[in-house]
Amino acid sequence: AVCMDGTPPAYHMDPGSGAGKKSWIVNLEGGGWCESVTACMYRKGSRLGSSNLMERQLEFRGILSSNPAENPDFYSWNRVMIRYCDGASFAGEGYDAGSRVYFRGQRIFNAAIQHLLSIGMSSADQVLLAGGSAGGLSAILHCDQFGAFFAGRSTTVKCLADAGLFLDAVDVAGGHTLRSYFGGVVATHRVAQTLPRSCTGHLDATSCFFPQNIIGSIKTPIFLLNAAYDTWQIHESLAPDVADHGGAWRACKSNRLACNASQMKVLQAFREQMVGIVEGAFSRSKGNGFFINSCFTHGQSKVPATWNANGSPTIHNKSIAKSVSDWYFGRAEVRAIDCPYPCDHTCHNDI
């Protein structure tokens, strides 16, 4: 279980207190992927590939905050951030001898969870596996694996994926830019062997790296928090530079108000694809929840302004923090989907 350069994996932790001592949030850090040995060699010379290059301290904000005003339901829990240094959403299993790059994401995940169990998480009453972006995808991929660590115990186990619902979308040139990229990630990191068998039994490995093909069969309760106009996906999947040959999307990608009518039609179709996926097989499980708002952003759970600040995004007058908490604690069913842009005036857009 090592980072891409062979250094040990790492985590940051703020111990719980009082009523939160037997409750744990384990957050999987995000930070993109690398789809080739060359790209991974470059990445291993950064904090995303080597624990030697990571900050020794991080400020925990949003869902990881210890401030009860900012994080009323989880502030006193044991809060952990597992650092991301494998390049494949904690799912790789391999080694490239020529470049000396380790692809050990699955081992990192297993070792980190086993370690946390050994220092007290095994006696937890409540646990939440969370993650944002590539970490959100990881929370989806590993949700049932995480639940299995608590099999036979009375622990409440749930998962939260923030900005992890990466769609297998057709780009503006009619291609599949993200599918091609994910195919490189899956092949380079030899991810196929760690993916859910419920998916790989009938679909190719690249398809099983897309959440839409696995969320319907996850048994552990999971919550999807996503912007319907996910800005990372607009920039890198829907209208990437390689597909935008004449640069027609350049202005729209930097300012949503510059999008013309035909571009808005493409963006609305992307939203409809996301909504359709969430309302499909995923919604059939009573334990699942979702908050899909019509904002242009990427990642909302670890940012105070969007998690639980005065003026943070809401759907039906309920904030993200309240929605996640109501779902986790079973206080209410949370299945919130915003009306299409531009109806939501509570958004914090960052396109």
Side-chain angles (χ1 to χ4, degrees):
V2 291
C3 297
M4 282 194 290
D5 69 339
T7 53
Y11 70 92
H12 299 259
M13 180 173 173
D14 196 3
S17 60
K21 275 190 173 178
K22 297 191 76 177
S23 299
W24 293 67
I25 289 183
V26 179
N27 199 285
L28 302 170
E29 186 181 26
W33 310 269
C34 55
E35 86 294 3
S36 66
V37 172
T38 302
C40 293
M41 284 178 67
Y42 179 79
R43 188 180 173 100
K44 82 172 187 176
S46 75
R47 65 174 179 81
L48 290 169
S50 172
S51 59
N52 283 347
L53 301 172
M54 293 174 184
E55 313 91 320
R56 290 303 184 254
Q57 286 190 310
L58 282 182
E59 184 178 17
F60 279 6
R61 303 302 304 270
I63 195 172
L64 293 177
S65 173
S66 61
N67 180 344
E70 184 177 328
N71 191 27
D73 282 298
F74 304 109
Y75 75 93
S76 66
W77 287 29
N78 296 278
R79 285 153 290 109
V80 179
M81 166 76 81
I82 300 178
R83 298 304 297 267
Y84 183 34
C85 65
D86 69 275
S89 289
F90 296 88
E93 178 50 72
Y95 174 67
D96 185 79
S99 61
R100 297 183 182 175
V101 177
Y102 294 86
F103 306 117
R104 296 285 170 79
Q106 184 63 52
R107 295 191 197 191
I108 291 172
F109 177 80
N110 290 341
I113 301 305
Q114 290 285 11
H115 171 74
L116 295 173
L117 289 166
S118 75
I119 63 169
M121 193 168 70
S122 62
S123 60
D125 294 328
Q126 304 172 115
V127 292
L128 175 63
L129 179 70
S133 192
L137 170 57
S138 185
I140 293 168
L141 292 172
H142 293 94
C143 186
D144 278 343
Q145 293 174 22
F146 184 70
F149 283 104
F150 298 91
R153 298 173 180 162
S154 59
T155 315
T156 298
V157 184
K158 298 187 180 185
C159 307
L160 165 67
D162 176 14
L165 189 55
F166 296 95
L167 305 188
D168 190 1
V170 177
D171 63 41
V172 294
H176 289 83
T177 299
L178 189 57
R179 167 169 276 275
S180 175
Y181 183 78
F182 272 5
V185 175
V186 168
T188 300
H189 294 258
R190 299 168 206 171
V191 169
Q193 60 197 302
T194 73
L195 293 169
R197 298 286 176 265
S198 58
C199 182
T200 55
H202 65 282
L203 292 175
D204 63 273
T206 300
S207 295
C208 296
F209 203 63
F210 280 99
Q212 67 202 66
N213 297 316
I214 57 178
I215 54 176
S217 59
I218 294 172
K219 302 289 189 290
T220 308
I222 187 167
F223 191 97
L224 300 179
L225 165 61
N226 232 95
Y229 309 94
D230 185 292
T231 47
W232 188 92
Q233 295 188 66
I234 291 171
H235 282 259
E236 304 296 336
S237 175
L238 194 62
D241 290 343
V242 293
D244 182 25
H245 306 303
W249 278 81
R250 201 166 295 139
C252 175
K253 286 195 295 183
S254 61
N255 175 13
R256 72 192 185 284
L257 301 176
C259 300
N260 62 35
S262 65
Q263 289 168 333
M264 281 311 308
K265 194 172 179 181
V266 171
L267 294 174
Q268 299 296 18
F270 178 81
R271 172 193 174 272
E272 286 168 16
Q273 182 184 355
M274 182 179 292
V275 169
I277 289 164
V278 172
E279 289 184 333
F282 178 76
S283 68
R284 287 204 285 271
S285 173
K286 290 278 187 224
N288 292 340
F290 44 84
F291 187 104
I292 311 295
N293 56 356
S294 291
C295 305
F296 287 81
T297 191
H298 180 69
Q300 301 177 92
S301 66
K302 289 191 291 187
V303 181
T306 49
W307 174 245
N308 190 42
N310 196 14
S312 64
T314 61
I315 301 178
H316 307 313
N317 296 315
K318 187 183 283 192
S319 70
I320 294 170
K322 182 81 162 64
S323 299
V324 171
S325 297
D326 280 357
W327 162 78
Y328 184 87
F329 297 105
R331 297 192 291 239
E333 186 177 78
V334 180
R335 298 181 164 219
I337 295 179
D338 220 345
C339 47
Y341 174 83
C343 70
D344 190 336
H345 301 293
T346 69
C347 283
H348 290 243
N349 298 310
D350 66 1
I351 194 166

